[in-house]
Amino acid sequence: FSEQFPCSYWISEGGFSELAIKGIEEIGQELEQQYDHIFVGTGSGATLVGLAKACPESSVTGVAAFSGAEYLFEQLEPFLKPQTNWRIDTEHHCGGFAKSNAVLESLIEEFHQHNDVQLDSVYNGKCLLAMKDAVEQGRVREGEKVIMIHTGGLQGMR
């Protein structure tokens, strides 16, 4: 394709690239305060990498939207060395990519009723579920500042 379209720029599946990471770093720099914990839905990992780089004082958790995401640890580590402020949650995928369950759907509906903010069940709902569990399990302590980055993706609601 590059011969047929020599002036084109190809975006990899999931959007993972150095430019994507750089763009996400800019989002992290726009945060008006420092957070102890940042949660974000994760597919390819570009958003996680960019936020971890932009917010080195925060603990950044990327919530994998699909099962079998353990390979992301090894794939993302070279982009984040020597930083250790990040982790990948591989436990809240709810059965796999674009999969859901009653617990997730109930949480999404409850969140929408209380906040008038829609979440999809592909990425952002799973992220909220992981954040809720982190609070309930004591990994996020009382008084710590927490933010969840809503990455869009509402087309996943279809």
Side-chain angles (χ1 to χ4, degrees):
F1 285 120
S2 59
E3 288 133 14
Q4 188 177 359
F5 304 102
C7 296
S8 61
Y9 178 78
W10 293 88
I11 299 172
S12 62
E13 182 179 9
F16 193 95
S17 70
E18 290 288 341
L19 287 176
I21 292 167
K22 194 172 182 119
I24 296 299
E25 285 183 66
E26 292 176 12
I27 292 171
Q29 293 164 2
E30 290 180 13
L31 296 175
E32 295 179 358
Q33 60 179 299
Q34 183 176 320
Y35 291 90
D36 298 298
H37 299 274
I38 299 172
F39 287 82
V40 65
T42 298
S44 66
T47 306
L48 168 62
V49 171
L51 288 171
K53 285 182 161 198
C55 306
E57 301 300 317
S58 300
S59 173
V60 183
T61 300
V63 181
F66 55 95
S67 59
E70 290 78 13
Y71 74 91
L72 285 174
F73 292 100
E74 190 175 317
Q75 186 173 318
L76 300 180
E77 189 175 32
F79 294 92
L80 288 162
K81 279 186 178 176
Q83 290 175 251
T84 59
N85 66 321
W86 62 283
R87 67 181 291 270
I88 301 171
D89 178 311
T90 59
E91 300 170 15
H92 289 89
H93 56 74
C94 299
F97 188 74
K99 304 279 184 181
S100 188
N101 61 33
V103 172
L104 179 61
E105 293 302 324
S106 177
L107 179 63
I108 289 170
E109 179 59 31
E110 181 182 349
F111 187 80
H112 184 249
Q113 287 177 359
H114 290 289
N115 299 288
D116 199 29
V117 173
Q118 291 187 310
L119 300 175
D120 65 289
S121 59
V122 178
Y123 289 99
N124 295 294
K126 294 173 183 180
C127 187
L128 179 64
L129 180 61
M131 186 175 73
K132 177 181 175 282
D133 284 352
V135 170
E136 290 174 351
Q137 295 167 6
R139 285 181 279 130
V140 173
R141 295 183 302 274
E142 187 174 337
E144 289 184 315
K145 294 179 182 175
V146 182
I147 188 170
M148 181 187 122
I149 307 291
H150 190 309
T151 56
L154 295 180
Q155 70 274 14
M157 295 172 61
R158 286 185 252 149

